[in-house]
Amino acid sequence: MENDDLDWILLLNKDSILERFSGRYPPVLAQLPSINEHYLLAHSEWFDVSLAQNLATYLPNKLSNEPRVTYLDQAILYDFPLFDRSGVYIGRSLLLGYKTSIKSRIDNVRSATLLLIAATLFVVTCVVALLLWIVNHRILVPVKHIVSVINETVNLGRFSQQVRVYRKDELGVMTQNINRLLANLERALAESNQVMGQLVLGNFEQRIVGNYQGDLLEMKKGINAAALELKNAHSKALHASKAKSQFLANMSHEIRTPINGVIGMLSLLETTPLTTEQAEQVHLAMRSAELLLGLVNDILDFSKIEAGKMSLDMTPVDLNDLLTTMRSIFQHLAENKKLALIQTIDPAISGWVKADPLRLRQVLNNLVSNAIKFTDVGQVTLNVHLLDNHRIRFEVRDSGIGISEEAQERLFQSFSQADNSTSRKYGGTGLGLMISKELITLMNGTLWLESTLGQGSCFYFELPYIPCEAPNNPTQARCPFTNYADRRVLLVEDNTVNQKLALKLLEKFNIEAALAENGEEAIHLLESETYDLILMDCQMPIMDGFTATRIIRQRDILTPIAALTANASEDDRKACLACGMNDYLAKPYNAEKLSELLQRWLK
C-alpha cells in the first residue's frame, strides 16, 4: 500500500465483540487500542493509531450498509462496512488515497496532450480504471480474504481456518503471521480440550506438553498446575472417603453388636413372668436401647446421604394404618407429659398410596417426637391434607417453646439445634431434621417450618400424591415361634452375648443349633455334618464370614447361608450376597425378624 501511496485502517466494532463473547473481551482483543467509544484498531503495529483516530471523525453516526466515499482536503477516504456471513455488523475498513498522487498524473497527461482532449480523457479514464483494478486485485482482494477468514474465525470460534497468501510483500508477511497465530491457537485449544477431557474422566496424570509462548504459555502453566492440584485433592478425597467408610463400618459393627445383645436379651426377658415393676423397668431399658439404636441409625443415614447412596423403596402404603400406628406409639409419651395428641386425615385421600413406608415413618417419627419433646403444655396435632389431587401435605403443629428466626436459618444443618441450651436440656444430636429434609427432597417433596418463639412451631412437608390399589397378597400375621424341631441349624458367631441370644431365640422355635465360633470351625463341622441353614456372622477372628462362605461355595456345599451381622449398610448387604450368601439380617434383630428369616428358608 505504501508503494501505491495508500493508507488502510481496519476497525472492529466493540458492541459486536462484546455480544459475541458474552460481554467480555477475549485476552487477544482486550489489548487492542481503542479509537473511540465504538471501535477498536484491529492491530496496533499494522495500522497507524493517530491516522485511525483522525479518520474516525468522518465515520457516519448511524450504521450504513453501503460503502461511502468522503473527499477530504488532500485525500479521498473509502469507507467499507464489514459484515460476517450471517449479516451481523463487525467493523469498518477504511482506505485513504491522497489527491496529490492522482492529480499529478492527471496534470502530466493534460500538459502533454493539450491538442487531443478527447484522447486525454480516454487515457485518464483508462488510468483511473487501471488504478482501481490494481487497488482491487492487489490490495482489496487479499484484504477482503483476510477479513473473511477473521470474520469466520470470530463467528464460528474455530481457529483451523488459513488465510491464502496472495503476495510476498508486507501483506504476504502479515498473512503468514496470521496463519501462524491461528495455528498456534488451534493447537493450544485442542491440547487444552484433550487434557481437560481426560481430567474429567479421572485421568489426573494428563498434562499439556506443547511448546508455547506468551499468554498461551501462561495458560499451559495454569492448566497443568490445576491438574496437579486436582490430582492431589482427588487422592486426599479418596483416602478420606475410604477412612471414613471404614470407620463407620467398624463403629456400626462395634456399637450394634452389644446393642443386639441388649435388645435381644430384653426381648427374651419380656416373654418371662415379670412383676409390674419389673415389666416397667424392662420396658424402660428396651426404650433406652432403641433410642441408642436410633442414634446409630441416624449417623449411618447421615453418611449415606453425604455419599449419595440413599435410595427409596416405593411400595403401596396403608396411610391410615401408618398414622394410626404412629399415634399409638406416641400416645403414652404424650400422656406422660399431659399433652393432647390429635390426628386428622383428609377423607379425600385414598387409603393406599405409593411411598417409601420406612422413610415416611422415619420423617413423621422425627417431627412428632420433636414436637412432644419441646412441648410442655398444650397439644400436638398431626394433620394430613390433599392439595389439588397432585400433592399431599403433612402438618405437625405444637404449642411448645418455638424457634427464633435466627435459629431457623441453621435448623436444617448437620448437628445443629436451636442453641446449645436446647441440646443440654432436651438432648439429641441435631441430625434428625437434616436427615428428614434430605429424605423429603429424595421423595420429590419439600419441607419447611413456621415458628414463633414462645408460641410453638408447625413443620410442613409435601409429597407427590400417588394413589394405588391395595396389594393382592397383604402380609399375614403369623406366630413368631413356629416349630422347626426337625430342622438343623448351624450358628457361626464369635461374640458370647450374641451366641447366647441367638441360641435362646432358636430354642423358642424348638431348634437346637450347633455352634461354631469362627469360619474355620464352621468349615470343619460342614465336613462331617449337614445342615438346613447356616446363620453366619461376618466379622470374626481367625476366619471371617465372607472368606468362610466363599470356601463353602467352592466346595459345592449349597446349604442356604444367611448373614447375621452388625454391618447394616446397603454396601454390606451387597457384599454378603456377592460372596455367596443367600440372605441378610442386620443386628440388632428380634424374634419376629428371625421368624421371618426362618420362614423363608426352613418351610
Side-chain angles (χ1 to χ4, degrees), residues 1 6-11 41-42 46-48 51-52 55 78 80 82 92-97 139-140 142-144 146-147 150 171 174 178:
M1 289 188 180
L6 296 172
D7 283 319
W8 174 50
I9 301 296
L10 184 62
L11 303 178
L41 189 62
W46 297 345
F47 306 105
D48 189 334
L51 177 62
L55 295 181
Y78 298 90
F80 300 92
L82 300 179
R92 310 194 77 84
S93 176
L94 305 179
L95 189 63
L96 186 65
I139 300 176
L140 294 184
V143 169
K144 286 181 180 179
I146 293 174
V147 171
I150 293 175
L171 187 60
M174 180 188 72
I178 291 176

PDB file of all heavy atoms in Angstrom, residues 1 6-11 41-42 46-48 51-52 55 78 80 82 92-97 139-140 142-144 146-147 150 171 174 178:
ATOM      1  N   MET A   1       0.825  -1.211   0.000  1.00  0.00           N
ATOM      2  CA  MET A   1       0.000   0.000   0.000  1.00  0.00           C
ATOM      3  C   MET A   1       0.857   1.258   0.000  1.00  0.00           C
ATOM      4  O   MET A   1       0.474   2.296  -0.552  1.00  0.00           O
ATOM      5  CB  MET A   1      -0.916   0.007   1.241  1.00  0.00           C
ATOM      6  CG  MET A   1      -2.024  -1.022   1.175  1.00  0.00           C
ATOM      7  SD  MET A   1      -3.183  -0.795   2.522  1.00  0.00           S
ATOM      8  CE  MET A   1      -4.307  -2.120   2.160  1.00  0.00           C
ATOM      9  N   LEU A   6      -1.143   4.629  -0.519  1.00  0.00           N
ATOM     10  CA  LEU A   6      -2.454   4.425   0.095  1.00  0.00           C
ATOM     11  C   LEU A   6      -2.265   4.059   1.570  1.00  0.00           C
ATOM     12  O   LEU A   6      -1.270   3.440   1.944  1.00  0.00           O
ATOM     13  CB  LEU A   6      -3.233   3.301  -0.602  1.00  0.00           C
ATOM     14  CG  LEU A   6      -3.613   3.535  -2.057  1.00  0.00           C
ATOM     15  CD1 LEU A   6      -4.186   2.260  -2.652  1.00  0.00           C
ATOM     16  CD2 LEU A   6      -4.624   4.666  -2.182  1.00  0.00           C
ATOM     17  N   ASP A   7      -3.229   4.439   2.367  1.00  0.00           N
ATOM     18  CA  ASP A   7      -3.264   4.039   3.790  1.00  0.00           C
ATOM     19  C   ASP A   7      -4.544   3.243   4.044  1.00  0.00           C
ATOM     20  O   ASP A   7      -5.627   3.613   3.563  1.00  0.00           O
ATOM     21  CB  ASP A   7      -3.248   5.278   4.708  1.00  0.00           C
ATOM     22  CG  ASP A   7      -1.845   5.866   4.797  1.00  0.00           C
ATOM     23  OD1 ASP A   7      -0.888   5.074   4.886  1.00  0.00           O
ATOM     24  OD2 ASP A   7      -1.721   7.106   4.782  1.00  0.00           O
ATOM     25  N   TRP A   8      -4.366   2.183   4.865  1.00  0.00           N
ATOM     26  CA  TRP A   8      -5.540   1.303   5.153  1.00  0.00           C
ATOM     27  C   TRP A   8      -5.706   1.161   6.665  1.00  0.00           C
ATOM     28  O   TRP A   8      -4.725   0.934   7.392  1.00  0.00           O
ATOM     29  CB  TRP A   8      -5.309  -0.071   4.515  1.00  0.00           C
ATOM     30  CG  TRP A   8      -6.376  -1.075   4.886  1.00  0.00           C
ATOM     31  CD1 TRP A   8      -7.713  -0.934   4.832  1.00  0.00           C
ATOM     32  CD2 TRP A   8      -6.139  -2.394   5.392  1.00  0.00           C
ATOM     33  NE1 TRP A   8      -8.358  -2.046   5.243  1.00  0.00           N
ATOM     34  CE2 TRP A   8      -7.395  -2.991   5.602  1.00  0.00           C
ATOM     35  CE3 TRP A   8      -4.998  -3.141   5.679  1.00  0.00           C
ATOM     36  CZ2 TRP A   8      -7.537  -4.279   6.095  1.00  0.00           C
ATOM     37  CZ3 TRP A   8      -5.150  -4.433   6.155  1.00  0.00           C
ATOM     38  CH2 TRP A   8      -6.401  -4.979   6.350  1.00  0.00           C
ATOM     39  N   ILE A   9      -6.908   1.291   7.090  1.00  0.00           N
ATOM     40  CA  ILE A   9      -7.232   1.161   8.531  1.00  0.00           C
ATOM     41  C   ILE A   9      -8.366   0.132   8.672  1.00  0.00           C
ATOM     42  O   ILE A   9      -9.384   0.225   7.973  1.00  0.00           O
ATOM     43  CB  ILE A   9      -7.689   2.506   9.147  1.00  0.00           C
ATOM     44  CG1 ILE A   9      -6.595   3.549   8.998  1.00  0.00           C
ATOM     45  CG2 ILE A   9      -8.058   2.320  10.616  1.00  0.00           C
ATOM     46  CD1 ILE A   9      -5.322   3.231   9.756  1.00  0.00           C
ATOM     47  N   LEU A  10      -8.191  -0.833   9.592  1.00  0.00           N
ATOM     48  CA  LEU A  10      -9.228  -1.848   9.859  1.00  0.00           C
ATOM     49  C   LEU A  10      -9.712  -1.657  11.293  1.00  0.00           C
ATOM     50  O   LEU A  10      -8.930  -1.768  12.254  1.00  0.00           O
ATOM     51  CB  LEU A  10      -8.665  -3.262   9.679  1.00  0.00           C
ATOM     52  CG  LEU A  10      -9.671  -4.400   9.841  1.00  0.00           C
ATOM     53  CD1 LEU A  10     -10.770  -4.292   8.782  1.00  0.00           C
ATOM     54  CD2 LEU A  10      -8.959  -5.754   9.735  1.00  0.00           C
ATOM     55  N   LEU A  11     -11.000  -1.347  11.447  1.00  0.00           N
ATOM     56  CA  LEU A  11     -11.600  -1.094  12.762  1.00  0.00           C
ATOM     57  C   LEU A  11     -12.579  -2.212  13.120  1.00  0.00           C
ATOM     58  O   LEU A  11     -13.318  -2.684  12.255  1.00  0.00           O
ATOM     59  CB  LEU A  11     -12.349   0.258  12.764  1.00  0.00           C
ATOM     60  CG  LEU A  11     -11.506   1.497  12.393  1.00  0.00           C
ATOM     61  CD1 LEU A  11     -12.385   2.733  12.402  1.00  0.00           C
ATOM     62  CD2 LEU A  11     -10.332   1.669  13.358  1.00  0.00           C
ATOM     63  N   LEU A  41      -8.905  -0.558  17.124  1.00  0.00           N
ATOM     64  CA  LEU A  41      -7.996  -0.737  15.992  1.00  0.00           C
ATOM     65  C   LEU A  41      -7.624  -2.213  15.890  1.00  0.00           C
ATOM     66  O   LEU A  41      -7.247  -2.831  16.899  1.00  0.00           O
ATOM     67  CB  LEU A  41      -6.746   0.136  16.171  1.00  0.00           C
ATOM     68  CG  LEU A  41      -5.811   0.196  14.954  1.00  0.00           C
ATOM     69  CD1 LEU A  41      -6.538   0.811  13.758  1.00  0.00           C
ATOM     70  CD2 LEU A  41      -4.564   1.009  15.284  1.00  0.00           C
ATOM     71  N   ALA A  42      -7.709  -2.797  14.704  1.00  0.00           N
ATOM     72  CA  ALA A  42      -7.515  -4.238  14.547  1.00  0.00           C
ATOM     73  C   ALA A  42      -6.110  -4.662  14.929  1.00  0.00           C
ATOM     74  O   ALA A  42      -5.907  -5.781  15.386  1.00  0.00           O
ATOM     75  CB  ALA A  42      -7.824  -4.656  13.112  1.00  0.00           C
ATOM     76  N   TRP A  46       0.219  -2.855  12.791  1.00  0.00           N
ATOM     77  CA  TRP A  46      -0.074  -2.864  11.357  1.00  0.00           C
ATOM     78  C   TRP A  46      -0.726  -1.543  10.898  1.00  0.00           C
ATOM     79  O   TRP A  46      -0.626  -1.159   9.744  1.00  0.00           O
ATOM     80  CB  TRP A  46      -1.003  -4.029  11.022  1.00  0.00           C
ATOM     81  CG  TRP A  46      -0.396  -5.364  11.287  1.00  0.00           C
ATOM     82  CD1 TRP A  46       0.903  -5.654  11.497  1.00  0.00           C
ATOM     83  CD2 TRP A  46      -1.082  -6.607  11.389  1.00  0.00           C
ATOM     84  NE1 TRP A  46       1.103  -6.972  11.723  1.00  0.00           N
ATOM     85  CE2 TRP A  46      -0.125  -7.614  11.652  1.00  0.00           C
ATOM     86  CE3 TRP A  46      -2.407  -7.005  11.266  1.00  0.00           C
ATOM     87  CZ2 TRP A  46      -0.431  -8.950  11.797  1.00  0.00           C
ATOM     88  CZ3 TRP A  46      -2.742  -8.350  11.406  1.00  0.00           C
ATOM     89  CH2 TRP A  46      -1.743  -9.311  11.675  1.00  0.00           C
ATOM     90  N   PHE A  47      -1.422  -0.893  11.800  1.00  0.00           N
ATOM     91  CA  PHE A  47      -2.180   0.282  11.419  1.00  0.00           C
ATOM     92  C   PHE A  47      -1.741   1.486  12.262  1.00  0.00           C
ATOM     93  O   PHE A  47      -1.367   1.333  13.442  1.00  0.00           O
ATOM     94  CB  PHE A  47      -3.685   0.045  11.585  1.00  0.00           C
ATOM     95  CG  PHE A  47      -4.180  -1.172  10.868  1.00  0.00           C
ATOM     96  CD1 PHE A  47      -4.494  -2.327  11.564  1.00  0.00           C
ATOM     97  CD2 PHE A  47      -4.325  -1.179   9.488  1.00  0.00           C
ATOM     98  CE1 PHE A  47      -4.944  -3.455  10.914  1.00  0.00           C
ATOM     99  CE2 PHE A  47      -4.767  -2.307   8.820  1.00  0.00           C
ATOM    100  CZ  PHE A  47      -5.072  -3.456   9.540  1.00  0.00           C
ATOM    101  N   ASP A  48      -1.850   2.677  11.669  1.00  0.00           N
ATOM    102  CA  ASP A  48      -1.450   3.924  12.318  1.00  0.00           C
ATOM    103  C   ASP A  48      -2.565   4.375  13.260  1.00  0.00           C
ATOM    104  O   ASP A  48      -3.692   4.676  12.822  1.00  0.00           O
ATOM    105  CB  ASP A  48      -1.189   4.987  11.250  1.00  0.00           C
ATOM    106  CG  ASP A  48      -0.553   6.250  11.845  1.00  0.00           C
ATOM    107  OD1 ASP A  48      -0.759   6.526  13.046  1.00  0.00           O
ATOM    108  OD2 ASP A  48       0.125   6.961  11.118  1.00  0.00           O
ATOM    109  N   LEU A  51      -3.648   8.140  12.733  1.00  0.00           N
ATOM    110  CA  LEU A  51      -4.424   8.280  11.497  1.00  0.00           C
ATOM    111  C   LEU A  51      -5.831   7.714  11.693  1.00  0.00           C
ATOM    112  O   LEU A  51      -6.807   8.302  11.229  1.00  0.00           O
ATOM    113  CB  LEU A  51      -3.701   7.553  10.356  1.00  0.00           C
ATOM    114  CG  LEU A  51      -4.441   7.554   9.008  1.00  0.00           C
ATOM    115  CD1 LEU A  51      -4.624   8.995   8.501  1.00  0.00           C
ATOM    116  CD2 LEU A  51      -3.658   6.722   7.979  1.00  0.00           C
ATOM    117  N   ALA A  52      -5.897   6.574  12.382  1.00  0.00           N
ATOM    118  CA  ALA A  52      -7.215   5.965  12.621  1.00  0.00           C
ATOM    119  C   ALA A  52      -8.097   6.887  13.448  1.00  0.00           C
ATOM    120  O   ALA A  52      -9.301   7.021  13.194  1.00  0.00           O
ATOM    121  CB  ALA A  52      -7.040   4.624  13.319  1.00  0.00           C
ATOM    122  N   LEU A  55      -9.345   9.701  11.141  1.00  0.00           N
ATOM    123  CA  LEU A  55     -10.355   9.264  10.178  1.00  0.00           C
ATOM    124  C   LEU A  55     -11.669   8.876  10.849  1.00  0.00           C
ATOM    125  O   LEU A  55     -12.722   8.883  10.226  1.00  0.00           O
ATOM    126  CB  LEU A  55      -9.818   8.060   9.390  1.00  0.00           C
ATOM    127  CG  LEU A  55      -8.606   8.341   8.501  1.00  0.00           C
ATOM    128  CD1 LEU A  55      -8.191   7.087   7.751  1.00  0.00           C
ATOM    129  CD2 LEU A  55      -8.903   9.469   7.515  1.00  0.00           C
ATOM    130  N   TYR A  78     -12.144   6.024   1.436  1.00  0.00           N
ATOM    131  CA  TYR A  78     -13.078   4.957   1.061  1.00  0.00           C
ATOM    132  C   TYR A  78     -13.470   4.201   2.335  1.00  0.00           C
ATOM    133  O   TYR A  78     -12.620   3.629   3.019  1.00  0.00           O
ATOM    134  CB  TYR A  78     -12.418   3.993   0.063  1.00  0.00           C
ATOM    135  CG  TYR A  78     -12.031   4.666  -1.237  1.00  0.00           C
ATOM    136  CD1 TYR A  78     -10.771   5.244  -1.391  1.00  0.00           C
ATOM    137  CD2 TYR A  78     -12.924   4.707  -2.304  1.00  0.00           C
ATOM    138  CE1 TYR A  78     -10.403   5.854  -2.572  1.00  0.00           C
ATOM    139  CE2 TYR A  78     -12.569   5.329  -3.494  1.00  0.00           C
ATOM    140  CZ  TYR A  78     -11.310   5.907  -3.617  1.00  0.00           C
ATOM    141  OH  TYR A  78     -10.966   6.493  -4.789  1.00  0.00           O
ATOM    142  N   PHE A  80     -15.651   1.157   3.960  1.00  0.00           N
ATOM    143  CA  PHE A  80     -16.361  -0.093   3.667  1.00  0.00           C
ATOM    144  C   PHE A  80     -16.841  -0.727   4.976  1.00  0.00           C
ATOM    145  O   PHE A  80     -16.025  -1.104   5.818  1.00  0.00           O
ATOM    146  CB  PHE A  80     -15.440  -1.097   2.952  1.00  0.00           C
ATOM    147  CG  PHE A  80     -14.904  -0.590   1.650  1.00  0.00           C
ATOM    148  CD1 PHE A  80     -13.688   0.083   1.599  1.00  0.00           C
ATOM    149  CD2 PHE A  80     -15.613  -0.782   0.478  1.00  0.00           C
ATOM    150  CE1 PHE A  80     -13.185   0.525   0.398  1.00  0.00           C
ATOM    151  CE2 PHE A  80     -15.117  -0.331  -0.727  1.00  0.00           C
ATOM    152  CZ  PHE A  80     -13.899   0.347  -0.767  1.00  0.00           C
ATOM    153  N   LEU A  82     -18.064  -3.745   7.345  1.00  0.00           N
ATOM    154  CA  LEU A  82     -17.744  -5.186   7.347  1.00  0.00           C
ATOM    155  C   LEU A  82     -18.854  -5.965   8.045  1.00  0.00           C
ATOM    156  O   LEU A  82     -19.307  -5.595   9.140  1.00  0.00           O
ATOM    157  CB  LEU A  82     -16.417  -5.434   8.091  1.00  0.00           C
ATOM    158  CG  LEU A  82     -15.183  -4.726   7.518  1.00  0.00           C
ATOM    159  CD1 LEU A  82     -13.965  -5.047   8.360  1.00  0.00           C
ATOM    160  CD2 LEU A  82     -14.961  -5.122   6.063  1.00  0.00           C
ATOM    161  N   ARG A  92     -15.306  -1.739  10.300  1.00  0.00           N
ATOM    162  CA  ARG A  92     -15.194  -0.948   9.074  1.00  0.00           C
ATOM    163  C   ARG A  92     -13.767  -1.047   8.545  1.00  0.00           C
ATOM    164  O   ARG A  92     -12.794  -1.152   9.306  1.00  0.00           O
ATOM    165  CB  ARG A  92     -15.556   0.531   9.328  1.00  0.00           C
ATOM    166  CG  ARG A  92     -16.869   0.731  10.062  1.00  0.00           C
ATOM    167  CD  ARG A  92     -17.351   2.153   9.992  1.00  0.00           C
ATOM    168  NE  ARG A  92     -17.935   2.467   8.689  1.00  0.00           N
ATOM    169  CZ  ARG A  92     -19.187   2.214   8.358  1.00  0.00           C
ATOM    170  NH1 ARG A  92     -19.989   1.620   9.219  1.00  0.00           N
ATOM    171  NH2 ARG A  92     -19.645   2.528   7.156  1.00  0.00           N
ATOM    172  N   SER A  93     -13.663  -1.009   7.229  1.00  0.00           N
ATOM    173  CA  SER A  93     -12.360  -0.984   6.562  1.00  0.00           C
ATOM    174  C   SER A  93     -12.229   0.360   5.857  1.00  0.00           C
ATOM    175  O   SER A  93     -13.063   0.720   5.018  1.00  0.00           O
ATOM    176  CB  SER A  93     -12.256  -2.138   5.558  1.00  0.00           C
ATOM    177  OG  SER A  93     -11.036  -2.067   4.857  1.00  0.00           O
ATOM    178  N   LEU A  94     -11.191   1.117   6.230  1.00  0.00           N
ATOM    179  CA  LEU A  94     -11.002   2.458   5.687  1.00  0.00           C
ATOM    180  C   LEU A  94      -9.771   2.476   4.769  1.00  0.00           C
ATOM    181  O   LEU A  94      -8.682   2.024   5.173  1.00  0.00           O
ATOM    182  CB  LEU A  94     -10.804   3.473   6.817  1.00  0.00           C
ATOM    183  CG  LEU A  94     -11.910   3.511   7.889  1.00  0.00           C
ATOM    184  CD1 LEU A  94     -11.568   4.538   8.947  1.00  0.00           C
ATOM    185  CD2 LEU A  94     -13.262   3.800   7.262  1.00  0.00           C
ATOM    186  N   LEU A  95      -9.924   3.005   3.567  1.00  0.00           N
ATOM    187  CA  LEU A  95      -8.822   3.096   2.605  1.00  0.00           C
ATOM    188  C   LEU A  95      -8.655   4.572   2.221  1.00  0.00           C
ATOM    189  O   LEU A  95      -9.608   5.215   1.768  1.00  0.00           O
ATOM    190  CB  LEU A  95      -9.135   2.258   1.363  1.00  0.00           C
ATOM    191  CG  LEU A  95      -7.990   2.096   0.371  1.00  0.00           C
ATOM    192  CD1 LEU A  95      -6.824   1.352   0.997  1.00  0.00           C
ATOM    193  CD2 LEU A  95      -8.485   1.350  -0.863  1.00  0.00           C
ATOM    194  N   LEU A  96      -7.458   5.100   2.435  1.00  0.00           N
ATOM    195  CA  LEU A  96      -7.209   6.529   2.225  1.00  0.00           C
ATOM    196  C   LEU A  96      -6.245   6.718   1.043  1.00  0.00           C
ATOM    197  O   LEU A  96      -5.106   6.221   1.066  1.00  0.00           O
ATOM    198  CB  LEU A  96      -6.606   7.150   3.496  1.00  0.00           C
ATOM    199  CG  LEU A  96      -6.421   8.660   3.462  1.00  0.00           C
ATOM    200  CD1 LEU A  96      -7.773   9.358   3.383  1.00  0.00           C
ATOM    201  CD2 LEU A  96      -5.662   9.109   4.709  1.00  0.00           C
ATOM    202  N   GLY A  97      -6.696   7.383  -0.010  1.00  0.00           N
ATOM    203  CA  GLY A  97      -5.850   7.715  -1.149  1.00  0.00           C
ATOM    204  C   GLY A  97      -5.599   9.217  -1.222  1.00  0.00           C
ATOM    205  O   GLY A  97      -6.540  10.005  -1.049  1.00  0.00           O
ATOM    206  N   ILE A 139      -4.755  -5.235  -3.432  1.00  0.00           N
ATOM    207  CA  ILE A 139      -4.933  -4.849  -2.023  1.00  0.00           C
ATOM    208  C   ILE A 139      -6.275  -5.321  -1.466  1.00  0.00           C
ATOM    209  O   ILE A 139      -6.342  -6.037  -0.475  1.00  0.00           O
ATOM    210  CB  ILE A 139      -4.805  -3.324  -1.858  1.00  0.00           C
ATOM    211  CG1 ILE A 139      -3.420  -2.866  -2.333  1.00  0.00           C
ATOM    212  CG2 ILE A 139      -5.049  -2.905  -0.418  1.00  0.00           C
ATOM    213  CD1 ILE A 139      -3.226  -1.360  -2.312  1.00  0.00           C
ATOM    214  N   LEU A 140      -7.348  -4.905  -2.166  1.00  0.00           N
ATOM    215  CA  LEU A 140      -8.670  -5.181  -1.604  1.00  0.00           C
ATOM    216  C   LEU A 140      -8.999  -6.668  -1.582  1.00  0.00           C
ATOM    217  O   LEU A 140      -9.581  -7.162  -0.609  1.00  0.00           O
ATOM    218  CB  LEU A 140      -9.740  -4.419  -2.396  1.00  0.00           C
ATOM    219  CG  LEU A 140      -9.672  -2.888  -2.301  1.00  0.00           C
ATOM    220  CD1 LEU A 140     -10.842  -2.269  -3.051  1.00  0.00           C
ATOM    221  CD2 LEU A 140      -9.675  -2.450  -0.848  1.00  0.00           C
ATOM    222  N   PRO A 142      -6.900  -9.371  -1.355  1.00  0.00           N
ATOM    223  CA  PRO A 142      -6.252 -10.020  -0.202  1.00  0.00           C
ATOM    224  C   PRO A 142      -6.836  -9.559   1.136  1.00  0.00           C
ATOM    225  O   PRO A 142      -7.008 -10.360   2.052  1.00  0.00           O
ATOM    226  CB  PRO A 142      -4.784  -9.620  -0.351  1.00  0.00           C
ATOM    227  CG  PRO A 142      -4.609  -9.310  -1.796  1.00  0.00           C
ATOM    228  CD  PRO A 142      -5.900  -8.711  -2.227  1.00  0.00           C
ATOM    229  N   VAL A 143      -7.109  -8.238   1.231  1.00  0.00           N
ATOM    230  CA  VAL A 143      -7.652  -7.725   2.491  1.00  0.00           C
ATOM    231  C   VAL A 143      -9.027  -8.313   2.773  1.00  0.00           C
ATOM    232  O   VAL A 143      -9.347  -8.705   3.906  1.00  0.00           O
ATOM    233  CB  VAL A 143      -7.702  -6.188   2.457  1.00  0.00           C
ATOM    234  CG1 VAL A 143      -8.513  -5.653   3.637  1.00  0.00           C
ATOM    235  CG2 VAL A 143      -6.304  -5.615   2.483  1.00  0.00           C
ATOM    236  N   LYS A 144      -9.852  -8.367   1.728  1.00  0.00           N
ATOM    237  CA  LYS A 144     -11.174  -8.955   1.915  1.00  0.00           C
ATOM    238  C   LYS A 144     -11.075 -10.421   2.332  1.00  0.00           C
ATOM    239  O   LYS A 144     -11.857 -10.903   3.151  1.00  0.00           O
ATOM    240  CB  LYS A 144     -11.982  -8.827   0.626  1.00  0.00           C
ATOM    241  CG  LYS A 144     -12.483  -7.421   0.332  1.00  0.00           C
ATOM    242  CD  LYS A 144     -13.299  -7.392  -0.953  1.00  0.00           C
ATOM    243  CE  LYS A 144     -13.811  -5.990  -1.250  1.00  0.00           C
ATOM    244  NZ  LYS A 144     -14.595  -5.949  -2.506  1.00  0.00           N
ATOM    245  N   ILE A 146      -8.576 -11.755   3.995  1.00  0.00           N
ATOM    246  CA  ILE A 146      -8.159 -11.750   5.409  1.00  0.00           C
ATOM    247  C   ILE A 146      -9.345 -11.451   6.320  1.00  0.00           C
ATOM    248  O   ILE A 146      -9.568 -12.121   7.336  1.00  0.00           O
ATOM    249  CB  ILE A 146      -7.028 -10.711   5.616  1.00  0.00           C
ATOM    250  CG1 ILE A 146      -5.760 -11.153   4.878  1.00  0.00           C
ATOM    251  CG2 ILE A 146      -6.738 -10.540   7.099  1.00  0.00           C
ATOM    252  CD1 ILE A 146      -4.652 -10.111   4.908  1.00  0.00           C
ATOM    253  N   VAL A 147     -10.122 -10.435   5.930  1.00  0.00           N
ATOM    254  CA  VAL A 147     -11.293 -10.065   6.727  1.00  0.00           C
ATOM    255  C   VAL A 147     -12.294 -11.217   6.786  1.00  0.00           C
ATOM    256  O   VAL A 147     -12.890 -11.507   7.830  1.00  0.00           O
ATOM    257  CB  VAL A 147     -11.950  -8.804   6.151  1.00  0.00           C
ATOM    258  CG1 VAL A 147     -13.286  -8.528   6.838  1.00  0.00           C
ATOM    259  CG2 VAL A 147     -11.019  -7.605   6.312  1.00  0.00           C
ATOM    260  N   ILE A 150     -10.995 -13.814   9.170  1.00  0.00           N
ATOM    261  CA  ILE A 150     -11.134 -13.322  10.540  1.00  0.00           C
ATOM    262  C   ILE A 150     -12.583 -13.365  10.984  1.00  0.00           C
ATOM    263  O   ILE A 150     -12.909 -13.780  12.110  1.00  0.00           O
ATOM    264  CB  ILE A 150     -10.562 -11.893  10.643  1.00  0.00           C
ATOM    265  CG1 ILE A 150      -9.046 -11.911  10.440  1.00  0.00           C
ATOM    266  CG2 ILE A 150     -10.905 -11.273  11.991  1.00  0.00           C
ATOM    267  CD1 ILE A 150      -8.415 -10.538  10.408  1.00  0.00           C
ATOM    268  N   LEU A 171       2.065  -7.374   2.946  1.00  0.00           N
ATOM    269  CA  LEU A 171       0.757  -8.009   3.118  1.00  0.00           C
ATOM    270  C   LEU A 171       0.885  -9.526   3.199  1.00  0.00           C
ATOM    271  O   LEU A 171       0.192 -10.187   3.970  1.00  0.00           O
ATOM    272  CB  LEU A 171      -0.163  -7.611   1.954  1.00  0.00           C
ATOM    273  CG  LEU A 171      -1.630  -8.061   2.063  1.00  0.00           C
ATOM    274  CD1 LEU A 171      -2.288  -7.476   3.301  1.00  0.00           C
ATOM    275  CD2 LEU A 171      -2.388  -7.668   0.805  1.00  0.00           C
ATOM    276  N   MET A 174       2.237 -10.351   6.626  1.00  0.00           N
ATOM    277  CA  MET A 174       1.143 -10.236   7.598  1.00  0.00           C
ATOM    278  C   MET A 174       0.227 -11.460   7.515  1.00  0.00           C
ATOM    279  O   MET A 174      -0.209 -12.008   8.547  1.00  0.00           O
ATOM    280  CB  MET A 174       0.340  -8.961   7.327  1.00  0.00           C
ATOM    281  CG  MET A 174      -0.819  -8.749   8.288  1.00  0.00           C
ATOM    282  SD  MET A 174      -1.879  -7.364   7.824  1.00  0.00           S
ATOM    283  CE  MET A 174      -2.719  -8.052   6.395  1.00  0.00           C
ATOM    284  N   ILE A 178      -0.595 -14.167  10.472  1.00  0.00           N
ATOM    285  CA  ILE A 178      -1.967 -14.507  10.887  1.00  0.00           C
ATOM    286  C   ILE A 178      -2.154 -16.017  10.872  1.00  0.00           C
ATOM    287  O   ILE A 178      -2.749 -16.601  11.795  1.00  0.00           O
ATOM    288  CB  ILE A 178      -2.997 -13.816   9.976  1.00  0.00           C
ATOM    289  CG1 ILE A 178      -2.989 -12.303  10.215  1.00  0.00           C
ATOM    290  CG2 ILE A 178      -4.393 -14.377  10.218  1.00  0.00           C
ATOM    291  CD1 ILE A 178      -3.912 -11.537   9.292  1.00  0.00           C
TER     292      ILE A 178
END
